[in-house]
Amino acid sequence: MKHILLVVLAPLLVFVLIAAKPEKKYYDEVLRPQFHFSPPENWHNDPNGLIFFEGEYNMFYQYNPNGKEWGYMHWGHTVSKDLVHWEHMPIALFPDNDSKDIKDFTAFSGTAIVDETNLLNFQKGDIKTLIAFYTCYKGGQRIAYSTDKGRNWEKFEGNPVIPFDETDDARDPKVFWHNPSQKFVMVLYREPDKDESKRGFSFYTSTNLIDWDFKNHMVGFYECPDLVELSVDNRPEDKRWVLIDGDGSYIIGSFDGETFKSESEKLPGDFGANFYATQTWSNIPKEDGRTIQIAWMRDGKFPGMPFNGQMSFPCELSLKKVNDKIRLIRKPVKEIELLHGKNYNWENKNIIPGLDENLIKKVKGDCFHITATLDIKTSDMFGFMIRTGRKSAGAELLYNVKKGTLSCLGKTVSLNPIDGKIYLEVLVDRSSIEVFCNKGIAVLSGCFVPDAKSEGMLLFTQGGELMVDQLDINEINSVWRKE
Ligand code: FRU
């Protein structure tokens, strides 16, 4: 009898134990970004081959499937229908020559376009072919193509399209169709003669995507070129080209399909510590018309995590005349609003130093989208403490009125008030903070390692009063929760 009972009850007990065990939440490790892209595990760096196609934003990225440090570069792949929810796809590009080396013949950075006219003749049925241009380390500039919306990729038999030159360090081809000259353009990072003073971007053109003619070389750039045309102040008749360097810095000018002519000095694209290898999506539909950029948040630290790295939040780029000078403006894409959870809002609240309690003390959490219009009044300095708690003061976002500077996570930018006000838009995602100042004129992107339990937020002013004209703090829902 005892024996029979045991046979019947034992499986039941096991079932009850399994059912009672709290389910481990997907993508919920303490430093796991909740609305920024990070791979499930291992190392990633640059975004690659960004292309919108058949209703999907494709993002490929430099990926090491073997570990949490840089090396063995493949192109990882993820797709999204809305720029915020990402679905993980199988690896897209593998090293060439079946290389198992940490570096040689691995797949470095590049870009992708649609073969609109089936130039390379790979198209199957109605779905157009995607063409990726990538650098094969020590193997030159190469082509891969996909006839199934980026799911599977073949290497082009005629590779490389620009041969390897051991006296150079050519990489990261940016390819696009230049309509006025009716040619494809490639902007390629190069270090001719392995001479650091010659580092820069070279321009090539092609009519068939295979034969590339060298046109000219511009010194003063390093890695991951991008070149985009944008309207000034939304006026389609007033356009400029923006040449973007690997660190996001940029020059405004004109481009005739072969030569870039500068009209500005080189300007910083981000003032934070963690923003690199920017790229914009190609093939965004005309009706949308946006230029959308993303970057790798280089040097972010994720101790104890299964992954190592995160992307910045996708942003829309535009040009604006500020004091008669054209400047690049960067703002989070509007899709951030799809993730808004609980909203806290304050209007016309005067804050007196020392006297007032923390206006925002009821806000607790680690993922937020904040917008604020703050009237400086008599304040000497003001700002937020983010992820503050008993064990940690958290990260400070500080505006210093006398110095006219804004600081966050150890980095500082000069920022003039607009009619006595500072405008802030801030994205907080567990271990990253992106601060968009004065409607996108200056951005600081930074990573930090917060204390896991510190989920408070503080708004402060020192030396005088601060008027909160408007403050919205939106909790952000995790994009991973459903899986
Ligand atoms: C930039 C970069 C690129 C290169 C890739 C290799 O971060 O160094 O120039 O293609 O990373 O992973």
Side-chain angles (χ1 to χ4, degrees):
M1 178 65 187
K2 238 189 194 173
H3 187 71
I4 293 174
L5 253 185
L6 208 72
V7 171
V8 174
L9 286 182
L12 208 73
L13 191 71
V14 171
F15 174 79
V16 168
L17 280 176
I18 290 174
K21 204 175 143 217
E23 200 192 314
K24 206 172 155 250
K25 273 205 224 140
Y26 177 68
Y27 250 68
D28 195 28
E29 303 94 337
V30 284
L31 300 177
R32 174 70 81 177
Q34 296 296 289
F35 63 100
H36 287 70
F37 176 81
S38 62
E41 54 185 18
N42 294 325
W43 166 276
H44 87 86
N45 50 293
D46 316 354
N48 291 154
L50 302 182
I51 189 160
F52 182 84
F53 189 61
E54 299 279 328
E56 292 174 333
Y57 296 91
N58 286 272
M59 178 159 67
F60 303 88
Y61 54 91
Q62 288 286 284
Y63 182 58
N64 177 6
N66 301 334
K68 287 197 273 176
E69 302 304 324
W70 182 90
Y72 309 96
M73 299 327 293
H74 292 55
W75 279 27
H77 185 202
T78 181
V79 297
S80 174
K81 289 199 160 47
D82 60 8
L83 286 169
V84 291
H85 296 89
W86 295 99
E87 186 186 341
H88 300 297
M89 308 304 282
I91 287 176
L93 289 192
F94 291 80
D96 284 353
N97 304 4
D98 284 326
S99 169
K100 301 282 176 273
D101 191 75
I102 187 167
K103 198 167 183 191
D104 292 354
F105 299 102
T106 63
F108 273 25
S109 289
T111 52
I113 59 167
V114 180
D115 188 355
E116 287 293 346
T117 57
N118 196 17
L119 255 180
L120 296 189
N121 214 13
F122 292 126
Q123 189 170 320
K124 288 191 189 131
D126 290 342
I127 300 285
K128 295 195 164 147
T129 312
L130 299 184
I131 313 282
F133 291 82
Y134 67 101
T135 301
C136 168
Y137 186 76
K138 288 200 181 161
Q141 311 313 317
R142 299 193 176 200
I143 285 179
Y145 61 93
S146 167
T147 54
D148 62 355
K149 304 200 293 176
R151 294 333 191 238
N152 293 286
W153 291 82
E154 298 289 333
K155 304 279 172 67
F156 174 56
E157 278 194 4
N159 276 337
V161 292
I162 296 183
F164 173 61
D165 171 357
E166 62 184 14
T167 68
D168 201 340
D169 187 14
R171 55 180 193 256
D172 311 339
K174 156 80 186 187
V175 173
F176 62 97
W177 171 250
H178 184 256
N179 208 39
S181 62
Q182 292 286 296
K183 279 184 183 155
F184 293 98
V185 173
M186 182 192 289
V187 193
L188 189 63
Y189 166 68
R190 289 182 56 226
E191 190 186 358
D193 308 321
K194 285 268 168 98
D195 174 350
E196 277 190 26
S197 68
K198 293 185 185 164
R199 281 179 175 172
F201 292 164
S202 282
F203 296 83
Y204 298 76
T205 62
S206 174
T207 50
N208 63 8
L209 292 172
I210 296 167
D211 303 302
W212 291 92
D213 299 325
F214 172 79
K215 293 298 166 186
N216 60 76
H217 183 73
M218 245 180 120
V219 295
F221 297 89
Y222 186 63
E223 300 187 332
C224 301
D226 201 357
L227 180 56
V228 293
E229 194 183 31
L230 294 168
S231 301
V232 181
D233 290 324
N234 274 326
R235 287 185 301 129
E237 68 284 3
D238 191 8
K239 288 197 163 152
R240 293 291 187 289
W241 285 85
V242 185
L243 184 58
I244 307 173
D245 203 356
D247 63 2
S249 57
Y250 65 96
I251 298 187
I252 291 165
S254 61
F255 181 65
D256 63 3
E258 294 185 359
T259 309
F260 182 87
K261 275 205 195 109
S262 307
E263 290 172 18
S264 79
E265 71 270 43
K266 201 170 186 217
L267 299 154
D270 194 280
F271 295 86
N274 308 94
F275 190 78
Y276 198 71
T278 70
Q279 194 174 117
T280 49
W281 263 272
S282 72
N283 205 41
I284 298 281
K286 275 217 178 71
E287 319 81 80
D288 180 317
R290 287 181 295 177
T291 299
I292 303 168
Q293 185 190 57
I294 201 166
W296 166 41
M297 294 192 81
R298 183 172 71 176
D299 293 334
K301 299 281 178 288
F302 305 88
M305 294 294 108
F307 64 97
N308 190 1
Q310 76 172 73
M311 295 293 178
S312 64
F313 192 76
C315 282
E316 183 176 353
L317 300 181
S318 59
L319 291 176
K320 191 177 158 65
K321 247 189 203 154
V322 183
N323 301 330
D324 246 24
K325 290 189 171 133
I326 302 174
R327 291 291 178 262
L328 189 63
I329 300 294
R330 178 152 55 96
K331 285 182 191 167
V333 292
K334 61 177 187 312
E335 285 85 345
I336 184 70
E337 289 171 16
L338 298 172
L339 306 177
H340 280 184
K342 187 169 177 181
N343 166 270
Y344 300 87
N345 163 265
W346 295 267
E347 268 159 37
N348 305 322
K349 292 275 180 205
N350 200 40
I351 308 208
I352 302 169
L355 265 190
D356 282 320
E357 280 204 352
N358 174 22
L359 181 72
I360 60 174
K361 74 164 182 282
K362 62 185 173 197
V363 179
K364 293 268 177 295
D366 55 12
C367 292
F368 297 107
H369 177 209
I370 306 169
T371 61
T373 306
L374 304 170
D375 188 327
I376 293 172
K377 287 188 81 183
T378 53
S379 176
D380 282 343
M381 46 181 81
F382 60 86
F384 294 88
M385 300 303 299
I386 295 163
R387 299 218 56 179
T388 183
R390 262 191 293 156
K391 280 208 193 132
S392 160
E396 186 182 58
L397 197 177
L398 175 82
Y399 187 73
N400 183 316
V401 179
K402 276 203 195 87
K403 290 188 181 158
T405 58
L406 187 128
S407 310
C408 189
L409 297 174
K411 293 284 175 177
T412 296
V413 60
S414 292
L415 188 73
N416 292 323
I418 304 172
D419 297 330
K421 295 173 198 210
I422 293 292
Y423 295 80
L424 295 176
E425 180 166 5
V426 187
L427 298 178
V428 179
D429 189 356
R430 293 221 164 144
S431 57
S432 70
I433 303 180
E434 290 154 290
V435 189
F436 301 83
C437 310
N438 285 352
K439 305 174 187 182
I441 186 78
V443 187
L444 289 93
S445 303
C447 292
F448 69 122
V449 180
D451 165 50
K453 295 219 167 69
S454 297
E455 298 208 318
M457 212 188 289
L458 172 73
L459 173 66
F460 64 89
T461 175
Q462 283 172 23
E465 293 176 22
L466 176 76
M467 182 65 149
V468 177
D469 283 3
Q470 166 268 327
L471 172 61
D472 280 274
I473 304 184
N474 298 287
E475 289 178 357
I476 292 288
N477 295 322
S478 171
V479 300
W480 308 111
R481 223 152 257 174
K482 269 191 247 112
E483 273 160 86

